[in-house]
Amino acid sequence: MSLQKQAVTTEDLSVHLPITKPEAKLYISFIYVAFISLLIGGLMGLLQVFVRSGHLTLPFGINYYQVLTVHGVVLALVLTTYFIIGFQYALMGKTVGISKAQRKVAWLGFWVMTIGTVITAVTILLGRASVLYTFYAPLQAHPAFYIGLALVVVGSWLACFVNWRQLYVWKKAHPGEKSPLLAFMVNINMIMWFIASLGVAATVLIQFIPWSLGYVETINVLVSRTLFWYFGHPLVYFWLLPAYMAWYVIIPKIIGGKLFSDSLARLSFILFLFFSIPVGFHHQLTEPGIDPMWKFIQVVLTFMVIIPSLMTAFSIFATFEITGRKKGFDSLFGWYKHLPWKDVRFLAPFIGMLAFIPGGAGGIINASHQLNTVVHNTIWVTGHFHLTVGTTVILTFFGITYWLVPHLTNRKLTPTINKLGIIQSITWTVGMSIMSTAMHIQGLLGGPRRSAYSTYGGTEQSTEWGAYQLAQAIGGTILFIAIILMVYIFIKLAFFAPQGEEEFPIAEEEEDATPTPKWMENWKLWVTITIALILFAYTIPFIDIIHHSPPGSPPFDWPIGNSK
Ligand code: HAS
């Protein structure tokens, strides 16, 4: 019997299902890998800021770019992907359920990803892949690096298939019913991830692997960068959307409120699906070989993808205000007083929201074609993404950890751990504010990113930058302390906190909420529009790139000889 039939006939799936032990084991396994990554990646971050500030020379021939590659790959690719997939499985399990067969495929995905991660990590640690997390050609890594990455992507596709299947099976069992909001959101994120990761899979399989194995001598650099950024920008929304899931649906429950608008939340996710992908050129605005008109078109589309974030900001504000007023705080800003400031499940994501105000503004500056020439390739961009992914997203993930991990391990978030969490959130905020502000300012002064030579010994400029680099080292050290604290909290919550039941907070709709229109679940239409937008934004410039490409580039060897 097919999986679908089995599941439809044997499972009666209703909203807010209990999470069984085998399910919990699956979900928490992803979260374990995420926290191991946090520790390793955080340590590499600490080493890096010290090298950049000129206060440390790495021992044993370890190279700055090797450390930077571990930092980027482990934090930006491994931590995020594992946390997101684990969290999304938990959301799906809770709202639409998971069958035994689906769980098996999910485990297969976990192991494929983990084997890929180990292969990639070992290659980097052996110094054979110091190519940074964007692995731009003509930098060349050992083939194992690309093969490992391909396995991570393939493993994540299995998670996509399982999530789609979960919703499909639920819909079959609940004809005519609106899908649970969280399941809808997870499915949108996984459709976006799948379509986007086809780009990185293509460049890795068709270009990098044959080239690194020596089957071809050269590589078309512009094609590889274009395919990478076709994937790279939706990648950042793949990180952001799970945080938005928590902001839209989890936070209202934690503050004692209701969903602001089911339809608005769904619409913003649909807009993310449309506009996240056809915008990769905004990372390539300074690159020759792409027609400026197409760059301009993708800049316009980038401004479209800002709209669902503004809708989100509006929706969150509205939730805070409505909840506060219902509780009787009715002066102009008095409703802020009702927010549960001492509850770390709220405080950590709230700081994440605040950080997204300057983080998002920075993104708008980056995307503004002419301003991009001022900040591109400077450490301003590093400041931007430490605010967005490094604060907005990660603090929201920490906020989720405080209730999700004890929920999965049948433990309690105790008042002491809650207090430690508040200290952790504040430490993170202080460290990141110092580091990221210094990065933004040094970037405006022309300080380069991704360079071990940023002190430019003895020049006037290096003296001017010196103070900012020192500030980055101080901020980075504070952040590292916050990481240690978070890992400690995680271990406590996973293994040592007292046994008990922790709530899985999911907000309900208002009783008199306007019904969500049926057309919002027109998946075929959303996918068709997404593909049409991608074809519109990429077909002509991509053909141009291939037609007018110069001869391919041979591999470039770092001075320390990192390629195979
Ligand atoms: Fe970005 C580069 C443009 C968002 C991550 N970005 C990067 C890189 C990363 C990254 C990792 O156009 C570097 C890649 C590399 O290695 O080269 N970014 C944008 C734009 C947005 C944006 C337009 N980025 C993000 C997010 C990221 C992220 C999100 C990670 C999660 N970014 C760029 C561009 C570049 C770039 C260029 C290339 C630069 C270059 O030259 O290399 C937008 O999505 C931002 C929209 C956001 C908003 C903010 C809404 C605010 C909200 C909070 C509300 C607060 C509340 C609380 C409710 C408009 C939702 C209020 C309470 C109170 C009490 C006040």
Side-chain angles (χ1 to χ4, degrees):
M1 199 191 292
S2 75
L3 168 65
Q4 177 199 346
K5 275 191 190 148
Q6 237 175 20
V8 174
T9 50
T10 58
E11 287 173 27
D12 174 25
L13 305 172
S14 57
V15 183
H16 303 189
L17 301 150
I19 290 183
T20 61
K21 262 201 169 163
E23 280 177 55
K25 198 172 158 202
L26 170 71
Y27 310 154
I28 195 93
S29 300
F30 281 92
I31 314 278
Y32 287 147
V33 180
F35 274 90
I36 295 170
S37 307
L38 177 66
L39 188 61
I40 300 171
L43 179 63
M44 297 301 147
L46 181 69
L47 295 180
Q48 210 171 270
V49 279
F50 275 112
V51 174
R52 275 187 67 97
S53 68
H55 289 86
L56 179 77
T57 309
L58 291 166
F60 314 120
I62 302 174
N63 177 268
Y64 170 80
Y65 300 99
Q66 190 180 351
V67 169
L68 183 53
T69 307
V70 179
H71 178 67
V73 170
V74 163
L75 291 183
L77 302 179
V78 180
L79 180 156
T80 49
T81 312
Y82 274 86
F83 189 93
I84 290 165
I85 293 182
F87 174 50
Q88 292 190 157
Y89 271 136
L91 297 179
M92 294 297 286
K94 194 77 190 159
T95 55
V96 295
I98 185 164
S99 69
K100 205 171 165 193
Q102 289 160 354
R103 226 174 41 232
K104 277 192 184 153
V105 182
W107 272 115
L108 179 67
F110 173 84
W111 286 114
V112 172
M113 280 176 69
T114 307
I115 292 168
T117 302
V118 171
I119 294 175
T120 303
V122 169
T123 319
I124 304 171
L125 291 174
L126 290 176
R128 310 295 288 274
S130 303
V131 291
L132 313 189
Y133 88 107
T134 40
F135 54 92
Y136 287 151
L139 292 180
Q140 194 186 57
H142 189 279
F145 173 82
Y146 306 112
I147 294 169
L149 279 185
L151 286 176
V152 175
V153 173
V154 171
S156 74
W157 286 348
L158 291 175
C160 295
F161 301 145
V162 173
N163 290 156
W164 297 336
R165 181 82 196 161
Q166 283 174 283
L167 183 59
Y168 176 81
V169 169
W170 185 91
K171 286 203 80 79
K172 284 264 166 205
H174 297 79
E177 280 183 42
K178 164 176 88 173
S179 60
L181 179 55
L182 284 168
F184 176 91
M185 291 168 152
V186 170
N187 272 254
I188 290 268
N189 201 25
M190 289 315 241
I191 294 175
M192 183 183 77
W193 172 253
F194 183 77
I195 299 177
S197 54
L198 290 173
V200 74
T203 182
V204 164
L205 294 176
I206 300 169
Q207 292 191 285
F208 281 99
I209 293 182
W211 178 61
S212 63
L213 285 169
Y215 296 148
V216 287
E217 282 184 357
T218 60
I219 188 163
N220 187 325
V221 171
L222 191 53
V223 167
S224 73
R225 289 171 69 103
T226 303
L227 285 172
F228 182 86
W229 284 117
Y230 162 91
F231 154 81
H233 198 72
L235 169 70
V236 313
Y237 294 114
F238 175 69
W239 302 332
L240 182 69
L241 291 194
Y244 276 11
M245 293 173 202
W247 294 5
Y248 274 111
V249 189
I250 308 289
I251 294 294
K253 177 75 176 178
I254 291 175
I255 67 170
K258 301 258 179 179
L259 269 186
F260 170 64
S261 161
D262 182 277
S263 314
L264 183 139
R266 283 178 206 250
L267 181 63
S268 93
F269 270 62
I270 294 168
L271 292 179
F272 272 115
L273 177 63
F274 290 168
F275 296 113
S276 288
I277 307 173
V279 296
F281 284 169
H282 74 222
H283 291 263
Q284 299 175 278
L285 292 176
T286 55
E287 250 163 77
I290 303 171
D291 188 319
M293 203 231 349
W294 288 102
K295 287 182 181 170
F296 173 73
I297 288 173
Q298 293 214 9
V299 162
V300 172
L301 291 170
T302 304
F303 276 79
M304 295 296 291
V305 81
I306 294 167
I307 293 170
S309 277
L310 294 175
M311 286 163 64
T312 306
F314 172 79
S315 175
I316 308 294
F317 264 120
T319 312
F320 291 166
E321 178 174 356
I322 292 168
T323 313
R325 289 193 189 283
K326 272 192 187 158
K327 288 183 184 173
F329 295 86
D330 51 8
S331 64
L332 187 58
F333 291 112
W335 43 271
Y336 265 95
K337 290 187 200 136
H338 83 92
L339 293 170
W341 300 108
K342 289 185 181 157
D343 183 342
V344 71
R345 298 172 309 158
F346 166 75
L347 183 72
F350 180 83
I351 298 173
M353 293 173 195
L354 283 187
F356 204 34
I357 297 173
I364 295 171
I365 290 170
N366 297 345
S368 306
H369 208 149
Q370 291 83 346
L371 285 179
N372 184 267
T373 52
V374 179
V375 296
H376 183 68
N377 271 347
T378 71
I379 198 155
W380 160 286
V381 175
T382 319
H384 162 68
F385 67 71
H386 278 85
L387 274 184
T388 48
V389 63
T391 310
T392 301
V393 169
I394 209 75
L395 277 185
T396 304
F397 287 0
F398 291 167
I400 293 165
T401 302
Y402 293 116
W403 55 264
L404 181 63
V405 170
H407 184 89
L408 296 177
T409 53
N410 284 329
R411 295 179 190 279
K412 287 286 299 170
L413 169 65
T414 61
T416 318
I417 304 180
N418 184 65
K419 213 180 253 171
L420 266 184
I422 290 176
I423 296 171
Q424 196 285 334
S425 310
I426 293 169
T427 317
W428 190 279
T429 311
V430 171
M432 194 57 94
S433 304
I434 298 173
M435 191 178 89
S436 167
T437 308
M439 284 173 165
H440 277 93
I441 299 175
Q442 197 198 340
L444 288 180
L445 296 172
R449 70 183 281 208
R450 300 176 146 170
S451 170
Y453 302 100
S454 30
T455 44
Y456 287 161
T459 63
E460 207 177 289
Q461 230 171 4
S462 82
T463 322
E464 201 180 14
W465 292 347
Y468 299 108
Q469 293 188 164
L470 182 63
Q472 286 163 41
I474 294 170
T477 310
I478 300 173
L479 270 172
F480 187 66
I481 296 169
I483 287 181
I484 300 287
L485 197 52
M486 191 62 218
V487 173
Y488 172 77
I489 292 171
F490 171 74
I491 294 172
K492 270 277 207 208
L493 288 173
F495 304 106
F496 300 108
Q499 298 278 332
E501 260 186 41
E502 191 62 48
E503 180 195 20
F504 195 121
I506 299 182
E508 305 288 334
E509 276 188 86
E510 296 280 1
E511 266 129 46
D512 55 352
T514 318
T516 305
K518 278 222 157 49
W519 53 261
M520 288 232 149
E521 292 214 47
N522 196 338
W523 294 100
K524 277 187 198 142
L525 182 63
W526 306 148
V527 173
T528 309
I529 296 176
T530 306
I531 292 172
L533 278 168
I534 294 170
L535 291 177
F536 162 65
Y538 272 110
T539 310
I540 297 175
F542 202 72
I543 292 172
D544 266 359
I545 289 171
I546 291 175
H547 266 188
H548 303 297
S549 282
S553 299
F556 171 76
D557 214 359
W558 285 99
I560 43 96
N562 95 88
S563 73
K564 73 195 165 74

